[in-house]
Amino acid sequence: MEILAKVGDALQGLLGQIAQEAAKESGVIARLRKFTPQSLARTFILGFLRDPNASDEKLAQMAVQCGAAVTPQAIEQRHTPKLVDFLEKLFRGATTTLVVGTDKALAPILERFTRVTVLDSSTIKLPDELQDRFRGCGGTQDTGVAVMKLQTELDLRSGALEHVQIEQGRQTDRGTSRLQVRRGPGSLRIADLGYFVLPVFAAMAEAGEYFLSRLMSGTDVRFANVTVNILGWLAKQPGPFVDTWIQLGQKQRLPCRLIAWRLPQEQANARRRKLREEMLKKKHREPTAERLAWCDWTILVTNVSEDLLTPKEAVVLYRARWQVELLFKRWKSQGLVEQLSGTNVARQMVRVWSRLLAAVVQHWLTVGTIWGDPTKSLDKVYKASREFAGRLAAALAGRATWEEVLAEIGQTFAKTCRRDKRSKPGTFELLNDVELLDFCLT
């Protein structure tokens, strides 16, 4: 029950003290009448938790449950820039000061590290009027003139949403300040090629931290201080896996392990098709022959020693990186965080921040109940949590105890949110038994 207590404390902190401070800084409540800072925060967060498309009428109904008897017209009048600022401050507080994670041992492979942080980012296109604050890269495809980027860190070991940093859309992943953050000796950071920066890897190694990443094509690879053509060298190696120590970078010469395997032809061809599509869409040209040849291989680099991580375990851990991508998918497809609904900028941004806050609450409930359970569906839990918005409001208002409500939520998830049968094991099953990995090699 300790983790449920953490969830309760986080909810009370967000919808209590943090709401009080955000209201004072934003000036969203000029004088106390119907709404208090707490009831205002609860109305919009729990209202959009229950229904991402909540109307003013539905928000007014939630407001009554939160202790503010107001009309839909009163809700409509609340959609001001000050409310937007208030909700943004709440989100910043929720994702930088409140950390909800379990101490439960989920898998032996994760327990070898103090933290297993997956770092990734997601973008949300905003109204063009906000381009001064959130500059995008322009264009009409995946970016626009106003874009917000969320640099997100998820700890696989505890399930904690460790940090979400708000940046301008034009900020590159390699330029984010989160790369300079030290996570402590024994921690492992997993990230994709967008965060491949050799000086950062060197700083992590010096601090006693571990990294796991794919190798960036074109990076200088050395054996015994001699630069080699990595694709040509790999083609001559026997066995399904290549696992050897190398040096990375012409100047850096960073010692690390290289773990590589050749993909089956079907997978390699699929990669080439995807690469061609992306290059034609973004660069309007075909990829080079070297880039196409790179698709035959998956190549990882890490400074984790062989006695701490086998090649297959490295594969499973890198695959687990998709948990943060699936988190973004739930935020967008179910939580509708990037849907700009509303008649003006204020209404649109109230929905963006409220939906993001609701997504954070949903994640806390997930971590507090079923995180790491391979028999449970995170998607089903995300959906089922909506039904408890009213019960959470009751607990916050003192009409029900936190222990009762959170225990009821946990029991509901355990009984009704089982994962559908699949032909392949899920992430947490693989983390507990890497031999379940259906891994085709040539």
Side-chain angles (χ1 to χ4, degrees):
M1 294 297 291
E2 182 180 349
I3 181 60
L4 290 179
K6 290 181 182 179
V7 175
D9 289 345
L11 285 167
Q12 292 179 82
L14 172 63
L15 301 173
Q17 183 60 36
I18 292 180
Q20 186 75 36
E21 294 170 358
K24 182 177 180 181
E25 294 174 7
S26 64
V28 70
I29 296 180
R31 51 181 176 172
L32 291 176
R33 296 180 65 182
K34 295 290 186 180
F35 276 116
T36 64
Q38 293 83 355
S39 63
L40 185 63
R42 296 169 191 178
T43 294
F44 281 87
I45 296 175
L46 297 180
F48 282 97
L49 169 62
R50 183 167 61 184
D51 182 359
N53 280 317
S55 62
D56 291 346
E57 182 177 347
K58 286 188 176 182
L59 290 173
Q61 293 168 0
M62 178 56 72
V64 173
Q65 297 180 60
C66 296
V70 298
T71 64
Q73 290 73 29
I75 294 292
E76 181 183 11
Q77 293 169 5
R78 277 286 169 184
H79 285 78
T80 65
K82 289 185 177 180
L83 178 61
V84 174
D85 186 34
F86 171 68
L87 293 169
E88 179 181 343
K89 285 179 166 57
L90 282 176
F91 180 75
R92 290 179 182 272
T95 55
T96 58
T97 63
L98 298 174
V99 179
V100 176
T102 179
D103 295 326
K104 174 184 174 184
L106 301 180
I109 190 175
L110 298 177
E111 301 305 311
R112 300 171 194 172
F113 307 96
T114 57
R115 300 158 76 176
V116 182
T117 301
V118 179
L119 172 63
D120 208 343
S121 68
S122 184
T123 57
I124 299 175
K125 190 174 180 180
L126 302 180
D128 291 350
E129 291 86 342
L130 299 180
Q131 60 181 302
D132 289 341
R133 280 199 64 202
F134 299 103
R135 293 184 64 189
C137 300
T140 58
Q141 299 294 331
D142 298 327
T143 60
V145 296
V147 177
M148 174 171 63
K149 176 174 284 191
L150 301 176
Q151 290 288 351
T152 305
E153 298 169 33
L154 175 69
D155 180 14
L156 292 175
R157 193 176 188 273
S158 68
L161 196 59
E162 293 181 323
H163 194 94
V164 180
Q165 181 162 294
I166 302 170
E167 298 177 345
Q168 296 191 56
R170 67 183 300 159
Q171 173 69 61
T172 65
D173 290 337
R174 289 187 183 87
T176 178
S177 62
R178 298 308 300 173
L179 290 182
Q180 312 308 321
V181 173
R182 298 275 66 84
R183 297 174 177 85
S187 62
L188 171 65
R189 196 208 74 187
I190 307 171
D192 65 17
L193 289 174
Y195 301 88
F196 190 95
V197 183
L198 289 181
V200 171
F201 292 159
M204 293 175 67
E206 186 176 354
E209 301 173 356
Y210 299 113
F211 60 84
L212 177 62
S213 169
R214 287 179 64 187
L215 175 64
M216 175 75 73
S217 63
T219 304
D220 191 86
V221 176
R222 292 169 176 260
F223 291 92
N225 291 319
V226 177
T227 300
V228 300
N229 179 313
I230 188 60
L231 292 182
W233 182 86
L234 285 173
K236 300 174 184 178
Q237 306 309 305
F241 276 106
V242 176
D243 183 8
T244 187
W245 283 86
I246 61 168
Q247 293 175 318
L248 280 183
Q250 188 172 13
K251 296 181 179 179
Q252 203 76 39
R253 302 196 180 184
L254 175 68
C256 66
R257 283 171 72 194
L258 180 145
I259 301 171
W261 60 96
R262 186 191 288 273
L263 297 177
Q265 197 64 42
E266 183 179 350
Q267 286 183 257
N269 289 339
R271 277 192 179 182
R272 277 187 272 272
R273 285 194 298 272
K274 183 178 179 181
L275 176 61
R276 282 194 173 100
E277 291 172 0
E278 291 178 350
M279 287 290 291
L280 289 172
K281 178 181 178 181
K282 296 179 179 180
K283 304 292 185 180
H284 307 293
R285 58 181 172 82
E286 286 278 352
T288 64
E290 183 179 359
R291 287 290 305 277
L292 291 171
W294 201 267
C295 294
D296 286 323
W297 294 87
T298 292
I299 309 173
L300 301 179
V301 289
T302 182
N303 63 333
V304 183
S305 62
E306 297 94 334
D307 60 340
L308 201 57
L309 197 67
T310 68
K312 271 196 173 182
E313 289 172 336
V315 175
V316 169
L317 274 177
Y318 193 76
R319 281 168 58 107
R321 180 182 60 83
W322 282 101
Q323 286 303 309
V324 74
E325 294 282 359
L326 295 174
L327 182 69
F328 294 149
K329 182 179 178 180
R330 288 192 291 274
W331 288 5
K332 292 183 176 183
S333 64
Q334 296 186 38
L336 309 182
V337 299
E338 63 178 353
Q339 187 178 105
L340 294 178
S341 56
T343 56
N344 55 51
V345 173
R347 289 188 72 89
Q348 291 172 353
M349 292 308 298
V350 163
R351 280 157 174 73
V352 169
W353 293 118
S354 297
R355 289 164 176 164
L356 282 170
L357 282 159
V360 171
V361 171
Q362 286 169 305
H363 185 74
W364 289 347
L365 295 174
T366 299
V367 172
T369 53
I370 58 88
W371 181 258
D373 186 341
T375 68
K376 300 298 180 292
S377 164
L378 298 182
D379 282 347
K380 290 183 179 180
V381 166
Y382 196 95
K383 294 175 183 176
S385 63
R386 301 194 186 286
E387 304 301 322
F388 290 93
R391 293 286 284 146
L392 292 173
L396 288 162
R399 298 190 301 274
T401 67
W402 278 109
E403 292 78 6
E404 292 173 345
V405 173
L406 292 175
E408 181 183 342
I409 292 174
Q411 186 176 30
T412 300
F413 292 169
K415 295 292 185 181
T416 66
C417 296
R418 295 190 65 83
R419 197 184 72 167
D420 295 333
K421 289 186 177 181
R422 300 180 186 176
S423 58
K424 296 184 179 180
T427 296
F428 291 107
E429 289 171 296
L430 291 171
L431 288 171
N432 277 284
D433 186 359
V434 297
E435 296 305 319
L436 294 175
L437 181 64
D438 181 14
F439 201 61
C440 297
L441 297 167
T442 57

